[in-house]
Amino acid sequence: MKRIGVISDTHGNLDAIKTCVSEAGKVDAWFHLGDFSADAEELNKLTGLPVYSVCGNCDYRSSSPEELNVNIEGVKFLLMHGHEYSVAFDDTLRACLRAEELECDMLLYGHTHIPELSSYGRIQVLNPGSPVRPLGGSKPSFAIVTADNGTVKAQLIPLC
C-alpha cells in the first residue's frame, strides 16, 4: 500500500506547501499538478520523497510534461493540470475521455482551484483544489490518495 500526497496550484507559496506536508503525515510520494511546477522541486527538497509533476498554464519555462502516466501499486494515474483540456468545474469531459483512452484508473487535475472527488464511469476523478488560492467558495485544500494492489481511494483534506 502506498499513500500519495496530491497538491496543485501552489503558486510559489512555500508556507502552504509546508502546511500540506505537515498535515499529510507519512506519505510515500507526492503528485504536483502544476502552477508552479518549480514548487515540485521545493517539495522534493523539503520531503526527500519522489515528486511526480506536470506543468500548468503559469509554468512558462517548465521542463515538466503537460501530462504524465504513473503506475503505482497496480493503479494507473493520469496527471495533468487540465488547461489543455479546457477543464472547468463540472466540465472535465475531455480530460476524462483522455484518461479513458489511456485506460487509467484515476484522473488527477488542477487548474480550477476547486476541489473535486467524483467518477466518470470506472475512472475516479480528483482535483485537490488549491492550498493557496481556493475558488468557488472552497477552503484551502490538498488530497491524499491510497493505492493498494490495483485499488485506489482518495480523500480531500481541507486546511482550515
Side-chain angles (χ1 to χ4, degrees), residues 86-156:
S86 304
V87 298
F89 186 69
D90 285 340
D91 186 8
T92 57
L93 179 61
R94 289 181 57 215
C96 288
L97 291 173
R98 177 67 174 151
E100 188 175 60
E101 173 188 3
L102 297 172
E103 299 179 353
C104 293
D105 301 300
M106 180 173 252
L107 166 67
L108 299 104
Y109 76 98
H111 189 58
T112 66
H113 295 222
I114 300 171
E116 175 187 2
L117 184 53
S118 64
S119 62
Y120 175 81
R122 67 167 197 77
I123 299 168
Q124 292 188 49
V125 179
L126 173 65
N127 183 326
S130 172
V132 178
R133 300 177 187 167
L135 295 175
S138 64
K139 296 183 186 289
S141 62
F142 72 105
I144 298 288
V145 170
T146 305
D148 187 16
N149 197 28
T151 63
V152 63
K153 294 179 184 172
Q155 177 184 11
L156 291 167

Side-chain angles (χ1 to χ4, degrees), residues 20-83:
C20 292
V21 168
S22 175
E23 291 292 318
K26 184 183 180 327
V27 296
D28 300 291
W30 282 90
F31 292 159
H32 192 290
L33 306 175
D35 284 354
F36 295 149
S37 62
D39 291 349
E41 295 171 23
E42 293 300 322
L43 185 57
N44 174 259
K45 288 177 191 173
L46 182 65
T47 65
L49 296 171
V51 178
Y52 302 88
S53 68
V54 293
C55 66
N57 58 299
C58 294
D59 293 317
Y60 304 110
R61 295 185 200 157
S62 175
S63 61
S64 294
E66 290 185 353
E67 62 182 52
L68 184 64
N69 291 295
V70 179
N71 191 323
I72 297 175
E73 288 285 315
V75 177
K76 292 174 70 174
F77 297 97
L78 174 59
L79 282 59
M80 66 171 63
H81 188 63
H83 63 290

